[in-house]
Amino acid sequence: MTVNLLDFDLEGLTAFFESLGEKRFRAVQLFRWIHQKGAAEFNQMTDLAKSLRDKLPALACVSSPRVVSRSDSKDGTIKWLFDLGAGNIIETVFIPESDRATLCISSQAGCAVGCRFCSTGHQGFSRNLTTAEIVMQLWFVEHSLRRELGCNERIISNVVMMGMGEPLQNYGQLLPALRTMLDDHAYGLSRRRVTVSTSGVVPMMDRLGEDCPVALAVSLHAPSNALRSDLVPLNKKYPIDELLQACVRYQVHAPRDFITFEYCMLDGVNDQPAHARQLIALMQKHQVDGLSAKINLIPFNPFPASGLKRSDHAAVVAFSEILLDAGLITTVRKTRGDDIDAACGQLAGEIQDRTGAKKRMFSQRQGMLGNIKIVVDSGVDT
Ligand code: SAH
Ligand code: SF4
């Protein structure tokens, strides 16, 4: 049984090397070969001692799952589906913009939170991704694109944990993955350019703030507990005030001076002027304690099983104007990748739901970037 070295952050790799009786600096060399150069074969790693290169293949590997498909949009957005086995398929989305390139990464196959407007939520929870499966999305995309473009420079400048799954319900595997993203011997991304998006797992927000404070996005979607509990069932466990207090605590560690609140605009559900006014009151109440917020309005990407509709453009504009007039920084997420809409976020194909039954998913899962139709706007990840 070989170990996948993508499972380790530098500390883990060092411990692994020490267990083999190897020197610590060997771990740094190997880590750089894997993450900075994209090497997967030990015989490529020319500055490693020959004896080590000979012994490693029996013990370890660097491997990523099979690519099921790749869809390229005219605007440069690219989506990959990876097959993790047992019917588990995850998606990873690359979004180039003029001043940065963002990778949207999945953290779980399915999701247990079960938000009403999210097709990953409707799919149910299958399993947590391993650290290797999280990191491999960055490793694979960064180095495939570099090879394709014949480029030695870093391509991906930003990561958002906004694909499938609730990252803070997979904290143990997420943490080494984040550390690898930030490590100067690996991708060297700045904390401000790595964003964890959460539906509000309060205790884990505190842990993240202590262990690895990266930029934070919180999926709010409603200004009152009654409505939020209906849309995001986790709200029953961690209601809005507790969530916003956790945000204030997070800000002490956060690399940015604001937290982004995502608000998915659902026709007639949470998009009325009265909701905007409630949201203002809510934010003002917590501003007193030091909350600094940016609201990101997301056009809902519908899928049949949700029974929900996207808000009219006019409703989104009216809503954002009410917020802006009250002094709240507000942005509306842009739409991109329309030409691959047919494939966007749709895990079209045979996949297994948690009951084990095969079913065809027409998911239109516009889970954030998980669905190519929308893209993180500059506020989330600049
Ligand atoms: N589980 C985490 C991160 C993944 S979802 C979270 O909920 O924050 C990333 C974002 O996509 C969330 O803000 C989520 O609300 C949004 N999203 C999910 N389904 C969507 C849909 N159908 N249309 C638009 N945004 C959606
Ligand atoms: Fe899970 Fe996020 Fe989808 Fe909610 S929106 S079901 S937390 S992936």
Side-chain angles (χ1 to χ4, degrees):
M1 183 66 183
T2 55
V3 178
N4 190 351
L5 298 182
L6 294 176
D7 252 322
F8 294 130
D9 59 10
L10 185 54
E11 201 185 312
L13 193 62
T14 306
F16 176 69
F17 267 55
E18 282 179 337
S19 76
L20 300 180
E22 295 288 338
K23 298 248 165 37
R24 297 172 67 93
F25 78 94
R26 294 283 178 214
V28 175
Q29 283 182 312
L30 197 86
F31 203 61
R32 293 170 70 109
W33 272 107
I34 296 171
H35 297 291
Q36 294 190 336
K37 302 206 177 108
E41 302 298 332
F42 299 117
N43 58 18
Q44 289 175 272
M45 305 179 183
T46 43
D47 59 356
L48 283 191
K50 176 86 168 60
S51 57
L52 179 60
R53 272 189 273 157
D54 290 343
K55 119 169 143 187
L56 277 174
L59 304 167
C61 63
V62 180
S63 79
S64 61
R66 185 177 72 86
V67 173
V68 180
S69 65
R70 165 177 165 160
S71 323
D72 285 59
S73 159
K74 269 195 277 206
D75 66 18
T77 302
I78 309 173
K79 182 181 71 172
W80 287 263
L81 298 186
F82 292 97
D83 182 0
L84 305 187
N88 291 315
I89 293 179
I90 53 150
E91 58 190 47
T92 307
V93 185
F94 172 75
I95 308 110
E97 291 176 89
S98 57
D99 56 344
R100 62 178 179 262
T102 303
L103 192 68
C104 175
I105 290 184
S106 295
S107 57
Q108 297 180 313
C111 182
V113 177
C115 300
R116 264 182 66 193
F117 50 84
C118 172
S119 84
T120 307
H122 279 248
Q123 185 182 323
F125 178 67
S126 182
R127 72 166 172 85
N128 280 329
L129 266 53
T130 62
T131 298
E133 287 165 340
I134 299 172
V135 167
M136 104 32 219
Q137 298 171 62
L138 177 57
W139 178 80
F140 176 89
V141 174
E142 173 71 32
H143 295 292
S144 320
L145 293 180
R146 276 197 215 175
R147 278 192 292 274
E148 214 169 289
L149 302 169
C151 148
N152 290 322
E153 304 284 300
R154 182 168 81 183
I155 293 177
I156 295 163
S157 59
N158 295 58
V159 165
V160 290
M161 297 302 306
M162 294 181 182
M164 301 171 78
E166 170 48 59
L168 295 188
Q169 287 189 340
N170 185 15
Y171 190 74
Q173 302 294 322
L174 175 72
L175 191 58
L178 293 177
R179 289 187 166 144
T180 299
M181 294 172 196
L182 301 177
D183 200 308
D184 283 338
H185 294 296
Y187 302 92
L189 297 176
S190 90
R191 292 180 186 282
R192 311 175 72 246
R193 289 172 173 266
V194 174
T195 301
V196 167
S197 176
T198 181
S199 55
V201 190
V202 164
M204 293 300 142
M205 290 166 63
D206 286 326
R207 291 270 303 272
L208 185 68
E210 295 285 336
D211 295 340
C212 190
V214 291
L216 187 68
V218 171
S219 293
L220 188 62
H221 308 306
S224 68
N225 280 319
L227 185 53
R228 188 164 193 270
S229 294
D230 182 44
L231 296 173
V232 183
L234 191 66
N235 191 69
K236 292 178 205 139
K237 196 159 179 197
Y238 305 114
I240 292 178
D241 280 333
E242 274 184 44
L243 174 59
L244 296 185
Q245 282 156 13
C247 291
V248 171
R249 292 194 296 276
Y250 194 86
Q251 273 182 217
V252 174
H253 310 277
R256 287 172 173 275
D257 48 16
F258 58 82
I259 287 177
T260 302
F261 291 92
E262 297 158 285
Y263 195 105
C264 182
M265 297 292 284
L266 303 164
D267 182 44
V269 175
N270 63 356
D271 66 345
Q272 299 300 298
H275 296 118
R277 288 190 289 271
Q278 269 183 297
L279 184 58
I280 292 164
L282 181 67
M283 289 294 149
Q284 284 172 346
K285 175 174 155 197
H286 289 272
Q287 268 162 8
V288 177
D289 297 328
L291 183 68
S292 173
K294 205 198 89 169
I295 313 289
N296 191 207
L297 302 178
I298 311 174
F300 171 58
N301 295 298
F303 58 101
S306 71
L308 297 162
K309 286 198 298 232
R310 176 187 285 203
S311 302
D312 293 344
H313 183 62
V316 177
V317 171
F319 196 94
S320 69
E321 276 170 2
I322 299 173
L323 300 184
L324 284 165
D325 283 348
L328 276 179
I329 305 164
T330 309
T331 54
V332 180
R333 187 165 297 157
K334 292 172 277 178
T335 299
R336 277 178 54 169
D338 278 354
D339 56 321
I340 50 171
D341 199 6
C344 79
Q346 301 179 345
L347 295 177
E350 294 286 301
I351 69 160
Q352 247 164 345
D353 70 13
R354 69 181 149 178
T355 63
K358 288 235 172 183
K359 67 177 181 187
R360 191 163 177 81
M361 295 288 294
F362 297 97
S363 64
Q364 291 244 359
R365 191 193 82 79
Q366 306 250 0
M368 199 87 170
L369 310 181
N371 201 324
I372 292 175
K373 214 166 170 206
I374 46 180
V375 67
V376 165
D377 87 323
S378 28
V380 173
D381 59 345
T382 39

